[in-house]
């Protein structure tokens, strides 16, 4: 019945199918790529800023957190603190620019996994949101409003 009515916008099924068709025309680039990059970049960058004073100096509280609260196995706390601050500073900036976006998203997805498994396993709802945005970027790319897109277009022509 729906197949017969799908051409007519004057039926409920026809109206529904017309709306679905219009929604499916919205591109990933237009609606998801840039907001996903900005959302996750801001999330991690702000977290990174809480770990440092100025540009390069880790706060004493950062060492304390990695020593006594976060307790990431295998990696010594002082190295983990530096790695986290570095990752949370560099990769969000690259995501905003849309440069090395898939790599940046992949690194932050790894951090999200470590945070979920070893640091705050009870915050899976938050981490699932982060992982979803990061996975979109890893698998679908940064979108048209990115340096990666411009670079890819340039190399595609040559």
């Amino acid at each position: 019945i729906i197949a017969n009515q799908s051409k007519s916008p004057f039926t409920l099924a026809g109206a529904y199918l017309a709306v679905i068709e219009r929604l499916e025309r919205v591109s990933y680039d237009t609606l998801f790529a840039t907001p996903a990059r900005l959302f996750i970049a801001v999330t991690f960058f702000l977290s990174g800023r809480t770990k440092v004073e100025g540009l390069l100096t880790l706060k004493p509280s950062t060492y304390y957190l990695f020593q006594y609260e976060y307790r990431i196995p295998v990696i010594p706390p002082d190295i983990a603190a530096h790695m986290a601050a570095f990752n949370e500073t560099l990769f969000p900036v690259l995501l905003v620019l849309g440069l090395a976006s898939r790599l940046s998203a992949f690194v932050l997805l790894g951090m999200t996994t470590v945070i979920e498994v070893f640091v705050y396993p009870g915050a899976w709802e938050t981490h699932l949101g982060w992982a979803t945005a990061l996975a979109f970027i890893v698998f679908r790319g940064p979108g048209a409003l990115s340096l990666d897109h411009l670079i890819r277009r340039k190399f595609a022509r040559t």
Side-chain angles (χ1 to χ4, degrees):
I1 295 175
I2 292 177
N4 294 340
Q5 298 174 356
S6 65
K7 299 292 184 190
S8 172
F10 300 111
T11 66
L12 184 58
Y16 174 77
L17 292 174
V19 168
I20 295 299
E21 188 176 304
R22 287 195 194 319
L23 289 173
E24 288 177 348
R25 285 188 204 154
V26 176
S27 74
Y28 165 78
D29 288 341
T30 303
L31 196 57
F32 295 109
T34 303
R37 286 190 356 250
L38 296 177
F39 157 72
I40 206 66
V42 167
T43 300
F44 277 90
F45 187 78
L46 292 177
S47 175
R49 295 306 306 157
T50 67
K51 293 174 177 61
V52 296
E53 294 174 328
L55 216 61
L56 302 171
T57 307
L58 264 66
K59 294 178 180 177
S61 60
T62 301
Y63 290 111
Y64 181 86
L65 284 171
F66 278 86
Q67 179 74 37
Y68 298 105
E69 186 176 334
Y70 296 166
R71 295 181 179 249
I72 299 168
V74 182
I75 304 171
D78 58 330
I79 293 173
H82 283 279
M83 287 175 60
F86 176 80
N87 289 346
E88 290 179 334
T89 302
L90 174 65
F91 294 112
V93 170
L94 291 175
L95 280 176
V96 168
L97 296 172
L99 183 63
S101 302
R102 290 175 193 240
L103 171 67
S104 299
F106 187 75
V107 169
L108 295 176
L109 186 57
M111 279 190 69
T112 300
T113 303
V114 169
I115 294 166
E116 172 57 31
V117 172
F118 298 112
V119 181
Y120 296 121
W124 64 268
E125 302 92 341
T126 299
H127 302 146
L128 183 61
W130 298 354
T132 300
L134 291 163
F136 265 115
I137 298 163
V138 168
F139 290 105
R140 296 292 305 270
L145 295 175
S146 67
L147 292 175
D148 287 341
H149 180 75
L150 292 174
I151 293 167
R152 185 175 178 189
R153 282 184 45 198
K154 175 147 179 66
F155 283 110
R157 283 189 242 147
T158 58

